Amino acid sequence: IEYEKAHDKVAKFINAEFEEIIFTKNASEAINLLAYSLTKELKEGDEIVITEMEHHSNIVPWQQLAKERDLVLKYIRMKDDYSLDLNDAKEKITNKTKIVSVTHMSNVLGTINPVREIGKIAHEKNALFIIDGSQSVPHISVDVKDIDCDFFAFSGHKMLGPTGIGVVYGKRELLEKMSPFLYGGDMISEVKFKESKWNGLPWKFEAGTPPIAQAIGLGSAIDYLLDIGIDNIMKYEKFLTEYALEKISGIEGVEIYGPKENRGGVISFNIRGVHSHDVSSILNREGIALRGGHMCAMPLVTEILKQGSVCRVSLYFYNTTKEIDKLVEGIKKVKEVFKV
């Protein structure tokens, strides 16, 4: 019963129906489920369109399937202001395009993409529209019916839930037509020696022992977020992000990657002449947690931003301006240590 309640809580959180919520072990598996189930009917020359700012989880599955099945994978270009080029999207999405899959919010740049507009472009060409909402769901209000996406994927641990659980939302009529990704117990209604019949939604896509504890934990995280209020989280995070951008941009020799407006609370930057791993190591000793590397978005960081790696600060409603001030002092200390 509690496991079923978790489906219901997730459904209400993003304005979906109970049957449209499928639990996976993470967002990567959620996108793989869609990639394998939706590409079974694709033929040589069919197109899949994603963007230059995707996480590896929304690149590698499509990339490998494109290679295996002679499909064409295209990338929507990013503009100099770190937003997606919608004119390029209109050119890239053609009558041959079958799937368009984009991140709602970049995990490197913080860019919030205009998913409604991209979805309309996709649907005008009769393509399916998928959103990777791993970064957006914890931070901004998401209504999948209003967005009109066909599928939406995200993970539990980024929204204060446990690890080991992800979510696929899909429109019921599409899920009913799709073949399962995993086969085995629970996802069946009848098994004979020569054939099997599938269970109803959402169980058809949840083979084997389900992540019961993780799902209940995710439900509790949603209760907590709703108690605080997503609008309150959005407002406070916007305030923190603007404060942090102003403070960090005032430090000489620091380059920030990402838009100034219409963005989430992740800030990627580099200190000129210092590797991100050195920055993160020194700040770690100061009690400041940030990440250094390519952020599981190597093509964006290395090929578009032309950087070997970046430092990334991730802000949420539990952070304070005092912590940002400490970060600024920490960055200045790094500059002193490396004499840059």
Side-chain angles (χ1 to χ4, degrees), residues 224-285:
Y224 180 59
L225 292 175
L226 288 173
D227 188 51
I228 295 168
I230 292 295
D231 287 343
N232 293 329
I233 292 171
M234 287 168 61
K235 286 174 188 172
Y236 183 63
E237 195 173 302
K238 185 174 185 289
F239 159 72
L240 278 183
T241 304
E242 288 173 353
Y243 183 89
L245 285 170
E246 183 184 348
K247 294 289 184 179
I248 298 170
S249 63
I251 307 171
E252 188 180 346
V254 174
E255 184 173 7
I256 296 173
Y257 312 102
K260 290 182 175 146
E261 296 178 351
N262 193 34
R263 57 167 301 142
V266 291
I267 301 172
S268 292
F269 66 93
N270 271 327
I271 301 174
R272 198 175 300 124
V274 188
H275 195 281
S276 66
H277 291 166
D278 291 323
V279 176
S280 58
S281 294
I282 292 173
L283 291 180
N284 180 58
R285 291 202 292 268

Side-chain angles (χ1 to χ4, degrees), residues 100 114-124 127 129 147-149:
V100 178
V115 287
R116 281 189 199 85
E117 288 86 341
I118 298 169
K120 284 176 185 174
I121 297 167
H123 288 150
E124 282 170 4
F129 183 49
I147 294 170
D148 193 29
C149 54

Side-chain angles (χ1 to χ4, degrees), residues 48-113:
I48 299 166
V49 177
I50 58 177
T51 82
E52 291 180 336
M53 61 175 71
E54 299 305 322
H55 187 282
H56 295 164
S57 295
N58 202 31
I59 295 177
V60 182
W62 306 114
Q63 182 189 73
Q64 297 308 305
L65 285 168
K67 286 183 177 181
E68 288 172 17
R69 300 180 191 178
D70 291 323
L71 308 173
V72 177
L73 181 62
K74 295 178 175 179
Y75 294 85
I76 299 170
R77 192 171 54 239
M78 191 178 75
K79 296 196 290 187
D80 291 341
D81 64 358
Y82 304 100
S83 67
L84 284 180
D85 186 336
L86 292 186
N87 288 326
D88 188 54
K90 289 173 184 175
E91 287 183 18
K92 296 276 171 67
I93 300 168
T94 72
N95 291 325
K96 288 187 176 181
T97 304
K98 305 302 178 186
I99 295 167
V100 178
S101 188
V102 307
T103 182
H104 198 172
M105 183 191 298
S106 169
N107 73 311
V108 176
L109 307 168
T111 305
I112 299 174
N113 286 319

Side-chain angles (χ1 to χ4, degrees), residues 284-335:
N284 180 58
R285 291 202 292 268
E286 300 295 312
I288 303 162
L290 55 72
R291 184 174 170 186
H294 51 67
M295 307 300 133
C296 292
M298 194 181 287
L300 169 60
V301 172
T302 61
E303 296 182 44
I304 306 302
L305 300 181
K306 305 294 184 186
Q307 300 296 314
S309 63
V310 295
C311 306
R312 186 187 68 189
V313 176
S314 301
L315 301 171
Y316 208 22
F317 63 81
Y318 43 66
N319 291 120
T320 65
T321 53
K322 284 186 179 178
E323 290 173 331
I324 293 169
D325 292 340
K326 190 173 181 181
L327 166 67
V328 169
E329 293 306 311
I331 292 173
K332 289 177 180 176
K333 183 168 184 178
V334 173
K335 284 168 56 67

Side-chain angles (χ1 to χ4, degrees), residues 102-250:
V102 307
T103 182
H104 198 172
M105 183 191 298
S106 169
N107 73 311
V108 176
L109 307 168
T111 305
I112 299 174
N113 286 319
V115 287
R116 281 189 199 85
E117 288 86 341
I118 298 169
K120 284 176 185 174
I121 297 167
H123 288 150
E124 282 170 4
K125 300 295 184 180
N126 295 315
L128 292 171
F129 183 49
I130 301 168
I131 297 175
D132 175 3
S134 300
Q135 287 294 132
S136 61
V137 165
H139 303 279
I140 62 176
S141 179
V142 170
D143 182 332
V144 293
K145 295 289 195 294
D146 181 56
I147 294 170
D148 193 29
C149 54
D150 297 304
F151 301 96
F152 193 97
F154 58 99
S155 59
H157 75 276
K158 285 186 170 69
M159 50 192 296
L160 307 182
T163 57
I165 188 158
V167 176
V168 172
Y169 153 79
K171 289 179 179 176
R172 186 200 301 239
E173 62 270 22
L174 296 174
L175 292 174
E176 286 173 346
K177 293 176 187 173
M178 286 165 54
S179 297
F181 170 49
L182 297 171
Y183 300 90
D186 277 359
M187 54 75 63
I188 46 81
S189 62
E190 183 181 31
V191 176
K192 295 183 178 179
F193 282 123
K194 292 197 174 180
E195 62 182 33
S196 300
K197 294 179 181 177
W198 311 139
N199 205 343
L201 295 173
W203 322 120
K204 167 184 168 183
F205 292 98
E206 295 187 8
T209 304
I212 299 169
Q214 291 91 333
I216 294 169
L218 177 57
S220 295
I222 286 172
D223 290 339
Y224 180 59
L225 292 175
L226 288 173
D227 188 51
I228 295 168
I230 292 295
D231 287 343
N232 293 329
I233 292 171
M234 287 168 61
K235 286 174 188 172
Y236 183 63
E237 195 173 302
K238 185 174 185 289
F239 159 72
L240 278 183
T241 304
E242 288 173 353
Y243 183 89
L245 285 170
E246 183 184 348
K247 294 289 184 179
I248 298 170
S249 63

